[in-house]
Amino acid sequence: MAGGSRLCAWGAAVGGLMVVLAALTACAGPYQYYEGTGVHDATTTEVAGGWENVEGTRVVLRKDRTALFEKLDGQDFDFEDGWRLSGTGTWQLTDGGGGQVVRLALTARTRVESRSPATATGTSPPEPPPTYAWSFYVDRDQHDELKLFFFYGDPDIGNTYVMTREPGS
């Protein structure tokens, strides 16, 4: 019977460890440990130009590293606040171990819009920031065309906000 007790105790210990490990990794969503796209060959000339998404967002990255933003949503959990910012700012293409990133900085906000009408909860939405910064990962599609994206919302879901080249840009 002693051998059975030890086996039972060992099984309980392993089972407990599995529960702890599962709990620790349950909050590790798809992008929490995202290391990048591995793209290292994009040039600033290739990144410069007009970008858009299906929600009506438009970003123009000028060759002089200035930028124009129209209806750009917040990234990560800021997306949940529902504001969309327009204005001017700057951009830069950086390269790290995991791949390239386009960093955008809104320095002069000209307009704030809401993605959806205010809710009837009686609470007002958070005030949008006067300035803001985004980090877009640089990737290539199946046709080797650039696309830019960031993650938004709950990190466990892994939603991506994708910008593609404007036609003719």
Side-chain angles (χ1 to χ4, degrees):
M1 196 66 150
S5 295
R6 275 187 253 168
L7 184 59
C8 188
W10 184 81
V14 169
L17 179 61
M18 303 260 313
V19 167
V20 169
L21 289 174
L24 289 174
T25 59
C27 295
Y31 84 85
Q32 287 182 328
Y33 300 108
Y34 189 73
E35 294 183 18
T37 62
V39 171
H40 296 281
D41 63 347
T43 65
T44 56
T45 301
E46 189 179 15
V47 171
W51 296 87
E52 63 185 2
N53 81 358
V54 297
E55 298 294 322
T57 297
R58 182 169 184 261
V59 175
V60 177
L61 306 176
R62 298 182 182 121
K63 290 181 182 180
D64 67 357
R65 307 281 170 85
T66 61
L68 172 67
F69 308 95
E70 294 178 17
K71 302 179 185 178
L72 188 52
D73 296 279
Q75 83 181 73
D76 298 325
F77 279 115
D78 292 338
F79 183 85
E80 306 297 334
D81 292 340
W83 45 256
R84 308 184 86 197
L85 302 177
S86 296
T88 58
T90 61
W91 70 278
Q92 66 176 335
L93 177 64
T94 63
D95 196 347
Q100 291 174 298
V101 174
V102 173
R103 301 199 189 283
L104 306 178
L106 176 76
T107 56
R109 186 178 82 184
T110 58
R111 189 172 66 243
V112 174
E113 295 178 41
S114 179
R115 203 172 40 257
S116 59
T119 60
T121 62
T123 61
S124 45
E127 176 64 26
T131 62
Y132 196 77
W134 295 264
S135 293
F136 281 87
Y137 292 103
V138 177
D139 201 4
R140 293 195 180 273
D141 65 16
Q142 66 272 18
H143 304 291
D144 206 33
E145 299 293 324
L146 283 186
K147 64 180 180 177
L148 307 176
F149 72 94
F150 64 75
F151 293 100
Y152 70 90
D154 185 336
D156 292 333
I157 297 172
N159 291 321
T160 55
Y161 191 94
V162 179
M163 301 288 290
T164 57
R165 179 73 66 190
E166 280 184 332
S169 177

